[in-house]
Amino acid sequence: MTAHSQGELFSDALIAQIKSRFYYVDHDMSGRERLFFDNAGGSFRLKAAVEQFALIDALPDCPERIHELAIFLQQVQARGSDDLRTILNARGGSVYASLTASGAMFDMVRAIAENVPGKNMVTTVLEHPSSFDAMSLYAGRTGKQLRVAPSNPVTGGVDVDAIVRLVDQDTCLLSVIYASNISGAKLDVGEIVKRARAIKPDLYIVVDAVQHAPHGLIDLQQTPVDGINIAPYKFFGCRGSGMSWVSERAAVLPHHKLAGKKKDFWDLGSAAPWQFAVVTAIVDYVCWLGGQFVDSDDRRARFASGIEKIELHERALLARLLDGTAQMPGLRAMDGVQVFLDFEDLTKRDLILAIGIDNLEHAQAVREYEKRGVIVYERVASSLYSKRMLDSFGLEGAVRVSPLHCNSAADIDRFLRVTREIGEAFAVAPAR
């Protein structure tokens, strides 16, 4: 077992600096102490991102003008587009700013499904509804078979073999999620792309990177795909924005656009320059973090360093959650607590846990956590966002726990203490 397989915590001094750059890491808006461990539903907000949103959106100027502030807004958009490419290590193609990442996924799937020949489309059971439902809708509309790869309840992910065995010469589109938003399991996108394209070299591939992007490095030079989306509100940014990249060949497929715009242009309506300013604020922050570890003038190199260090810190937090310390047992050893989908290799997982507490229905457990100043989230089969994935794992539900790299080892220890307290409070007394 290597040191990196268990991660590496940031220093206390660096964690203090990191926390100072975000809103509400340790307290809620009323000043009450709080652990917010629902970052998979929308992450902590960078102060700089919120400030840029307010600054840029306050300007009444239209960027499609020739005066000074309009030109400034054009530069904001150009810089933000470049920075989305920095996040993805993408070259060329088209950047697409939308209201939501979900909306962009429907648009990308539609363009490919309606215009690329084929008899089937391939996806996985673990997709977010925005991907799965888009695939289902347009497979139905275009008369194509939808093929769905099953999950692996041991790893919490989807095996590469399970996906590529569904791909053939008649597949027009493959859609995969980068990481599960229930188990945190990462799919091996690089191997999926390589093996799927070995079967069909011109296969179109789209990837939902919304959940994974804040936790691990994406490199489209290593994993070339045709469409990929992120959601800034899950990546330290602001709600009301989805950002996507579309390959050059996918960008020119027929899609909704104004007739006078270039063939590869995807935005509809007036641009919102704040969306691009927020992306730049996110990249600025990750580059600042990466600059603590590498000395480089290359923006992608600093960004890559920052994300890699985030991944290592979060892996160390995950290891501490699972295995605890000498003073506090981890979730794996805690009486009355079940850890679902607990795959041993932490390098294959993002910082998301699915747990259950004996004698507590999952929504009730969430309320018990909130009483003790901790915010988590119930994933239950009655939810349209959860049912298909939970069914595939044979689970009725789970409590999802999702800290962020802003959290410290002390935050994890506090969560473990609260969990032990809840488990003990609801333990069934032994019969006399």
Side-chain angles (χ1 to χ4, degrees):
M1 182 182 293
T2 65
H4 278 188
S5 70
Q6 295 296 295
E8 183 178 3
L9 290 170
F10 291 137
S11 68
D12 290 344
L14 183 54
I15 273 289
Q17 291 186 63
I18 289 169
K19 286 194 175 193
S20 73
R21 291 171 179 256
F22 287 82
Y23 286 112
Y24 305 128
V25 179
D26 297 317
H27 300 83
D28 68 11
M29 63 185 295
S30 301
R32 294 172 296 192
E33 284 193 16
R34 185 176 78 155
L35 284 182
F36 183 81
F37 277 18
D38 187 24
N39 288 281
S43 73
F44 290 122
R45 305 290 193 259
L46 271 170
K47 293 176 180 177
V50 176
E51 289 162 4
Q52 283 298 304
F53 169 92
L55 176 68
I56 300 301
D57 199 49
L59 298 175
D61 304 76
C62 173
E64 297 185 16
R65 302 290 187 266
I66 62 172
H67 57 269
E68 181 181 356
L69 278 182
I71 293 170
F72 164 71
L73 292 176
Q74 293 167 23
Q75 293 169 344
V76 168
Q77 289 181 226
R79 193 158 52 245
S81 295
D82 287 345
D83 278 331
L84 182 65
R85 292 185 173 92
T86 297
I87 292 171
L88 302 172
N89 202 21
R91 297 170 191 165
S94 294
V95 170
Y96 174 30
S98 54
L99 179 64
T100 65
S102 295
M105 181 57 71
F106 270 81
D107 291 340
M108 292 188 289
V109 168
R110 176 182 184 174
I112 296 168
E114 290 186 341
N115 298 289
V116 175
K119 296 179 181 178
N120 67 76
M121 298 159 60
V122 176
T123 191
T124 85
V125 74
L126 293 189
E127 302 304 303
H128 186 276
S130 62
S131 302
F132 191 91
D133 293 355
M135 292 287 284
S136 179
L137 175 67
Y138 289 108
R141 285 190 179 180
T142 58
K144 296 179 175 70
Q145 178 191 23
L146 182 63
R147 298 176 175 178
V148 182
S151 63
N152 181 331
V154 175
T155 65
V158 182
D159 297 341
V160 175
D161 285 346
I163 296 171
V164 299
R165 73 166 59 104
L166 301 179
V167 175
D168 58 30
Q169 291 300 315
D170 291 320
T171 305
C172 83
L173 173 60
L174 167 62
S175 174
V176 295
I177 195 168
Y178 223 118
S180 167
N181 58 17
I182 288 183
S183 69
K186 295 184 284 189
L187 275 64
D188 189 346
V189 173
E191 190 67 12
I192 292 166
V193 170
K194 176 183 175 182
R195 290 180 54 186
R197 290 250 174 84
I199 297 168
K200 185 177 182 182
D202 63 348
L203 177 65
Y204 280 77
I205 302 174
V206 297
V207 173
D208 173 359
V210 169
Q211 188 60 63
H212 177 64
H215 307 289
L217 193 63
I218 296 169
D219 188 347
L220 295 191
Q221 299 310 302
Q222 300 298 318
T223 57
V225 300
D226 293 286
I228 187 168
N229 64 348
I230 69 169
Y233 84 96
K234 290 194 179 183
F235 200 165
F236 328 144
C238 303
R239 287 191 184 274
S241 175
M243 300 297 295
S244 305
W245 177 89
V246 190
S247 72
E248 291 176 4
R249 66 172 184 163
V252 297
L253 293 172
H255 58 277
H256 287 160
K257 74 175 191 68
L258 300 182
K261 296 288 186 178
K262 294 180 180 179
K263 287 185 177 180
D264 64 352
F265 190 80
W266 278 61
D267 286 6
L268 276 172
S270 299
W274 70 261
Q275 292 181 284
F276 298 87
V278 166
V279 171
T280 292
I282 292 167
V283 175
D284 282 347
Y285 164 74
V286 177
C287 287
W288 164 80
L289 184 56
Q292 310 301 306
F293 302 95
V294 298
D295 184 11
S296 174
D297 293 330
D298 182 80
R299 191 160 172 83
R300 169 65 184 184
R302 293 197 310 278
F303 179 86
S305 172
I307 286 290
E308 287 164 354
K309 293 298 182 180
I310 284 172
E311 184 175 30
L312 287 174
H313 177 74
E314 290 189 344
R315 190 176 301 155
L317 296 182
L318 179 58
R320 197 178 185 103
L321 275 167
L322 291 168
D323 296 324
T325 65
Q327 292 74 37
M328 172 63 63
L331 297 173
R332 284 171 170 162
M334 200 171 286
D335 291 339
V337 175
Q338 302 175 67
V339 182
F340 303 123
L341 311 167
D342 184 19
F343 190 53
E344 288 288 337
D345 186 352
L346 302 190
T347 67
K348 307 295 186 185
R349 301 170 62 174
D350 284 339
L351 183 53
I352 297 176
L353 275 175
I355 68 171
I357 296 179
D358 291 352
N359 309 310
L360 265 181
E361 187 271 328
H362 302 300
Q364 185 183 359
V366 167
R367 288 189 286 270
E368 292 298 326
Y369 273 110
E370 185 178 14
K371 291 176 185 176
R372 294 161 175 84
V374 178
I375 301 300
V376 289
Y377 174 55
E378 75 278 6
R379 300 301 301 256
V380 291
S382 59
S383 166
L384 67 90
Y385 292 102
S386 307
K387 178 176 175 54
R388 174 174 21 88
M389 303 83 144
L390 290 170
D391 286 350
S392 80
F393 292 132
L395 295 174
E396 293 182 358
V399 174
R400 185 177 68 185
V401 182
S402 54
L404 202 65
H405 76 276
C406 316
N407 290 116
S408 64
D411 295 334
I412 298 301
D413 293 347
R414 180 182 165 197
F415 176 82
L416 291 174
R417 287 193 297 272
V418 168
T419 302
R420 184 171 64 176
E421 178 185 324
I422 294 172
E424 290 174 349
F426 287 87
V428 176
R432 297 196 174 193

